Amino acid sequence: AALGQAVTCTIASGLSNVAPNNTVAFVIPVTPTAAAQPSVTNTATVSGGGDPGCPAAARCASTVITPLFNLQLVKAVDSVDPSGPNSFVARYTLTVTNSGNAAGAYTLNDTLGFTTQGVTFNGNAQVATTGGSVNPAIAGGYTPANGTTVQLSVANLAIAPGATHTYTLAVPISVNSATLGNGTCTGGPGNGLFNAATVTGTIGLNSNACAPIAIDGQPAIRLLKTVELAVDVNMNGFGDVGDVLNYALEISNVGSQPLGTLRLVDRFVNDLVCDPMTVGGQPITVLLNDQIFFGTFEPFGASPLIPGDSVQCWATHTLTAADVAARRVTNTASASGEGTSGGFVTSNSTAIYSAFP
């Protein structure tokens, strides 16, 4: 079938008004192409059979809208591990997830933006994957360089509905403590061990992660954000005006230093809250959006987030007419924390909802 094509099915003998011969079913397979994003609309009408009201009457037509491909990209620093005297390996995880109900394709790219003051590359970067497929051109590793975009996956890699492709990137570096500068993260390239990832294809996405570089251990943070339809008033499985989206956000300490002064910024929502206890059972306070101070009895934000621990946060969004008209709700949040060495680390995560009627 093609856009605007009409398929006609005829019941020459007509239909009875007595079951079971008063119904008939037809199956018309349709394979959507990339150009069909973000959804496929199919309208069926009936006429004839002695009913003078059809096909003009509303009861003689039915329309179904099926959402298609929906991709998510999350990038995070796993660790910065010592590998020798003044040498480290920066490790990143890049996760591509198809949360839609149709297959799609993507190409994953990566661009390094490390500080150039006292930090140099001292070997080949290595890429591995679970579920995905590494670009054959870099299967044995590649020479890293700041500002150079490298294709990590094969081009236009297919990803099934519900599938997750995980990539790991290991970048070896040398650090000269005498000339080390711009080692803290500021949210842009040229500072710390900044790394930006992009997905191109049916849907374009970007995600970045950064870890500060120092000689005494490394702080690192990861933010993972997901979205689901929590309140479906008419229970049709799609987002309508007045329905409510639920966002779940998890802030994890994936480094080797405790993280204090935790902050979570999500300006798309106005009811952001975080659990008062970490997953590991420690008291925690997270500064939210424009909040500046901790509570009177928590001058230092309770206990820090220790390595390996995480804290859960939540928010909601009520769908508006503008959301439904746009057929896509994109929400990006940012988490940050301060390591014991004074370096700030950040992580961004984007959740996209596109299941609209």
Side-chain angles (χ1 to χ4, degrees):
L3 179 65
Q5 180 180 356
V7 178
T8 302
C9 302
T10 302
I11 310 169
S13 59
L15 291 175
S16 168
N17 62 351
V18 179
N21 298 318
N22 62 341
T23 60
V24 67
F26 296 95
V27 177
I28 304 175
V30 176
T31 302
T33 66
Q37 291 295 334
S39 63
V40 171
T41 301
N42 185 13
T43 300
T45 61
V46 294
S47 62
D51 188 337
C54 290
R59 58 183 167 77
C60 304
S62 178
T63 298
V64 175
I65 301 175
T66 304
L68 300 178
F69 184 45
N70 190 20
L71 204 63
Q72 294 178 328
L73 171 64
V74 175
K75 181 168 191 176
V77 179
D78 285 333
S79 61
V80 181
D81 302 321
S83 58
N86 300 319
S87 298
F88 301 84
V89 177
R91 304 183 188 277
Y92 303 86
T93 294
L94 303 87
T95 305
V96 181
T97 302
N98 181 358
S99 58
N101 58 5
Y106 70 92
T107 303
L108 178 63
N109 304 287
D110 190 84
T111 306
L112 300 175
F114 291 4
T115 175
T116 58
Q117 297 185 26
V119 175
T120 56
F121 301 108
N122 67 358
N124 283 344
Q126 301 291 331
V127 182
T129 185
T130 300
S133 183
V134 174
N135 179 5
I138 61 168
Y142 67 91
T143 302
N146 282 319
T148 299
T149 298
V150 177
Q151 180 182 315
L152 299 188
S153 73
V154 299
N156 297 317
L157 179 62
I159 183 168
T164 295
H165 295 177
T166 302
Y167 295 81
T168 56
L169 172 63
V171 183
I173 58 173
S174 293
V175 179
N176 184 336
S177 59
T179 59
L180 181 61
N182 292 338
T184 58
C185 295
T186 63
N191 298 275
L193 303 181
F194 181 85
N195 192 351
T198 60
V199 158
T200 59
T202 310
I203 294 177
L205 298 171
N206 61 78
S207 181
N208 60 64
C210 182
I213 181 65
I215 301 301
D216 55 345
Q218 301 302 323
I221 193 170
R222 176 168 58 199
L223 175 63
L224 178 61
K225 182 175 189 176
T226 58
V227 61
E228 66 176 0
L229 183 62
V231 177
D232 185 5
V233 177
N234 62 4
M235 301 182 67
N236 66 346
F238 299 104
D240 300 293
V241 175
D243 287 351
V244 179
L245 301 181
N246 185 62
Y247 292 99
L249 304 94
E250 182 181 66
I251 305 171
S252 300
N253 185 343
V254 293
S256 56
Q257 292 184 5
L259 293 176
T261 319
L262 287 179
R263 179 179 294 277
L264 179 62
V265 177
D266 188 345
R267 303 197 183 281
F268 184 77
V269 297
N270 55 22
D271 61 350
L272 188 61
V273 295
C274 292
D275 288 342
M277 303 290 287
T278 69
V279 173
Q282 298 299 313
I284 197 76
T285 299
V286 180
L287 294 172
L288 303 175
N289 288 334
D290 296 325
Q291 184 180 356
I292 299 176
F293 301 104
F294 293 105
T296 304
F297 300 103
E298 298 174 342
F300 303 107
S303 60
L305 186 64
I306 64 173
D309 205 357
S310 60
V311 58
Q312 305 284 339
C313 303
W314 317 90
T316 63
H317 172 68
T318 301
L319 293 174
T320 65
D323 295 329
V324 175
R327 306 187 61 76
R328 184 180 177 93
V329 178
T330 301
N331 185 5
T332 299
S334 177
S336 63
E338 184 179 12
T340 54
S341 59
F344 279 89
V345 288
T346 62
S347 178
N348 299 330
S349 184
T350 299
I352 300 173
Y353 183 81
S354 62
F356 290 99

